Amino acid sequence: MTTVRPIIAATDFSAPAKHAAWRAALLAEEMGAGLTLAYTLGGTALDDMR
């Protein structure tokens, strides 16, 4: 018996990240797994905050 583990997907709201988050959601639904989305800041965004 396989244990289903939660899925975590990181996003920066770019087009490729949105596609990856969508795919993670489909996979989580298919497997009955939990899904956590984590927002990430790019290097330039962090530099702007300094």
Side-chain angles (χ1 to χ4, degrees), residues 6-10 17-37:
I7 297 171
I8 184 167
K18 286 181 184 179
H19 178 76
W22 182 255
R23 178 67 182 112
L26 292 175
L27 184 61
E29 181 179 37
E30 180 180 314
M31 297 182 70
L35 174 63
T36 299
L37 292 177

